[in-house]
Amino acid sequence: MTDKYDVIVVGAGPGGYVAAIRCAQLGLKTACVEEWINKQQKPALGGTCLNVGCIPSKALLESSERYEEIAKHNADHGITVDGLQIDVAKMIARKDKIVSQLTGGIEQLFKANGITWLQGRGKLLAGKQVEVTAHDGTVSTAAADNVIIAVGSTPIELPIAKWLDTRIVDSAGALDWETTPGKLGVIGAGVIGLEMGSVWRRLGSEVVVIEAMDDFLGAADRDVAKSAQTQFKKQGLDIRLSSKVAKVEAGDNGVTVTYNDPNGEQTLLVDRLIVAVGRKSNTAGAFAADSGVQLDDRGRVVVDGHLQTAVAGVYAIGDCIVGPMLAHKASEEGVLVAEQIAGQKPHINYDAIPWVIYTHPEIAWVGKTEAELKAVGVEYKAGSFPFAANGRAKAMDQADGLVKVLADAKTDRILGVHFVGPLASELVGQAVIAIETECSSEDLARMTFAHPTVSEAIHEAMLAVDGRALHAVGKKRK
């Protein structure tokens, strides 16, 4: 007999588990299918983000940043530490503990909300039925009035750099090394490559990042990207742009990467290599041929403006559809679909979704860049303010970087806010609120910000839009 639910969610990452919880809150009989097996070889919820992505990477970034702070920066504060050491295995164990606590917390939330966890790989069949292949190979089928596809994404493996034990790894593999590599290569200078490269550089690795693109952080504002690149270079992160990998060979002495840059063919010998060239939708094998769901040429599920597929009552969210592969975007889409199913009329403003890179300095932004505004012919005015003139940032020894604001030239409505510097991941939330509530730069310029705080840099950048920043020399207000 086939079990029947109001909603079946396929995938329990940040999109899927949040969708399941919201469905249950709204009184819908809900099941969630998840196949993840964790490091301890046990079934786990949370998907990539909680198990081998957002959460564990931030745990290692925090540990490595504390180590570097003590090793390189505390002396200026009059603090001297002798015999400093890093126990990498213990650092990894702490990361694993945090992951276990949070994934276990989701399991408790499922129980508290009466959500049925169907353990195994889900496959959508015709008629809104979901086939679940358990880890022992047994197959069962469940049906629902509504199905939410939240299968997430997987790392892209390069044919010329296939995963190889602990020497050639994806981002997940780089989270579990218990010794620090002497020399580390990273293919890809995106979010994952920069974050993982930063972790191991802080712990003593010589890190070389190879990036095929000509521009550093092409999606970010150019002023922010330039500032970040300069700071990374000072830290010793060797980022080589316009470098296209041609061959990767593993041998007894390490991994040899052959790449081509403007000067011709180059070779790089490293102890270990992280391949971080992006991710792809995890839709392979997720749909029966007669399921009715359509995929685009990149394997993403095709949805309409309400995130519904070609099949009425079947929705898709998160990394497996078009849009940025961000955990918080997936979560909000999960809530939106759940509330639509319940008859509500929710909304997501895709122009107010923040991006964050958790390096040091942190990089964050929300809204449009100058390049995007120029491309569509929007007239704008810009204001920026350096953290070098911010008292709190100076006291924190984090006075590099800036805040940059873009506002409509006619209406003054804030169109984009960009950060590189201290606490950027937290500051960007204020910018999200400003864009979501359609604030003008004048609105924030007239608000009172606490002193001394790094958030004052936002206030000053808003003032700078109109040429009247108080703590920086700039154009005079007309």
Side-chain angles (χ1 to χ4, degrees):
M1 181 177 177
T2 301
D3 292 330
K4 181 67 183 293
Y5 298 90
D6 295 321
V7 181
I8 295 176
V9 182
V10 183
Y17 86 73
V18 168
I21 290 172
R22 187 65 184 125
C23 285
Q25 288 177 340
L26 292 165
L28 301 169
K29 183 181 178 184
T30 306
C32 186
V33 185
E34 177 54 59
E35 65 174 333
W36 195 279
I37 297 294
N38 65 17
K39 187 176 178 180
Q40 292 73 36
Q41 298 303 303
K42 294 181 180 179
L45 298 168
T48 294
C49 179
L50 269 73
N51 286 280
V52 294
C54 321
I55 300 303
S57 64
K58 303 313 164 283
L60 295 189
L61 282 161
E62 179 67 23
S63 295
S64 62
E65 187 168 342
R66 290 191 184 195
Y67 174 77
E68 185 172 60
E69 182 72 21
I70 296 169
K72 296 184 178 181
H73 305 298
N74 275 0
D76 290 341
H77 294 263
I79 302 170
T80 303
V81 177
D82 294 325
L84 178 66
Q85 294 180 323
I86 179 72
D87 185 335
V88 176
K90 191 169 184 178
M91 179 185 74
I92 298 298
R94 173 184 175 271
K95 175 264 296 182
D96 291 341
K97 182 178 180 181
I98 292 170
V99 169
S100 179
Q101 289 171 336
L102 291 175
T103 55
I106 297 172
E107 188 172 353
Q108 292 304 311
L109 286 170
F110 270 31
K111 291 177 180 177
N113 285 282
I115 299 166
T116 301
W117 178 10
L118 304 176
Q119 296 180 5
R121 174 74 174 177
K123 182 177 183 179
L124 181 68
L125 309 178
K128 288 182 281 192
Q129 295 192 79
V130 177
E131 179 184 272
V132 181
T133 303
H135 300 109
D136 64 3
T138 59
V139 178
S140 61
T141 304
D145 296 324
N146 301 277
V147 177
I148 303 174
I149 305 299
V151 292
S153 61
T154 59
I156 295 172
E157 183 179 29
L158 291 177
I160 58 174
K162 290 185 174 295
W163 320 136
L164 180 64
D165 49 66
T166 61
R167 289 176 292 172
I168 303 176
V169 301
D170 60 7
S171 57
L175 294 168
D176 281 331
W177 288 330
E178 295 194 353
T179 59
T180 302
K183 190 165 186 176
L184 172 63
V186 181
I187 301 177
V191 177
I192 295 172
L194 291 173
E195 289 185 356
M196 287 294 93
S198 292
V199 167
W200 295 105
R201 181 203 61 75
R202 293 169 187 167
L203 299 181
S205 293
E206 178 186 349
V207 179
V208 179
V209 183
I210 300 172
E211 171 56 53
M213 303 300 291
D214 298 330
D215 294 326
F216 179 64
L217 288 179
D221 177 86
R222 290 299 83 204
D223 289 336
V224 163
K226 183 178 179 180
S227 176
Q229 186 177 7
T230 298
Q231 293 182 63
F232 291 148
K233 184 177 180 179
K234 288 180 180 178
Q235 294 169 7
L237 203 60
D238 184 354
I239 301 172
R240 303 179 184 180
L241 301 175
S242 305
S243 300
K244 298 181 180 179
V245 176
K247 184 169 58 176
V248 174
E249 297 174 295
D252 294 337
N253 296 324
V255 179
T256 301
V257 181
T258 303
Y259 64 95
N260 295 290
D261 66 11
N263 296 316
E265 186 176 277
Q266 312 291 338
T267 58
L268 173 70
L269 178 64
V270 297
D271 297 303
R272 297 176 196 164
L273 181 68
I274 300 173
V275 180
V277 294
R279 300 180 65 84
K280 61 182 179 180
S281 297
N282 185 30
T283 52
F287 304 98
D290 60 351
S291 68
V293 172
Q294 299 173 358
L295 303 180
D296 67 13
D297 58 358
R298 294 175 60 181
R300 299 172 299 193
V301 181
V302 177
V303 295
D304 62 17
H306 299 285
L307 304 183
Q308 186 168 238
T309 70
V311 181
V314 177
Y315 304 83
I317 62 174
D319 287 7
C320 68
I321 65 172
V322 170
M325 292 183 174
L326 300 170
H328 44 280
K329 176 250 194 190
S331 294
E332 292 306 316
E333 289 178 336
V335 171
L336 179 141
V337 169
E339 292 178 351
Q340 283 183 164
I341 291 171
Q344 299 181 15
K345 298 187 181 298
H347 172 71
I348 293 176
N349 178 4
Y350 284 98
D351 287 331
I353 294 178
W355 293 67
V356 181
I357 304 175
Y358 295 86
T359 48
H360 184 85
E362 290 187 340
I363 304 164
W365 68 90
V366 61
K368 303 298 184 182
T369 65
E370 283 200 67
E372 289 171 332
L373 294 176
K374 288 177 180 178
V376 294
V378 173
E379 295 184 12
Y380 64 92
K381 48 187 178 177
S384 62
F385 189 79
F387 282 110
N390 179 271
R392 183 68 189 281
K394 295 284 278 187
M396 294 168 62
D397 280 341
Q398 298 186 45
D400 291 322
L402 57 93
V403 179
K404 181 174 178 180
V405 177
L406 303 172
D408 190 282
K410 297 177 182 178
T411 67
D412 193 40
R413 180 176 171 180
I414 298 169
L415 302 175
V417 187
H418 307 266
F419 303 84
V420 54
L423 302 177
S425 60
E426 302 297 334
L427 294 175
V428 74
Q430 297 182 29
V432 171
I433 294 169
I435 289 179
E436 186 65 50
T437 55
E438 301 184 1
C439 286
S440 66
S441 71
E442 179 73 9
D443 289 331
L444 270 70
R446 293 293 178 186
M447 294 179 185
T448 302
F449 286 67
H451 174 77
T453 61
V454 290
S455 67
E456 287 179 285
I458 297 176
H459 186 223
E460 292 276 4
M462 296 293 171
L463 287 165
V465 169
D466 200 26
R468 53 195 175 104
L470 297 170
H471 293 87
V473 177
K475 65 180 181 180
K476 294 181 179 180
R477 184 184 184 188
K478 295 180 180 179

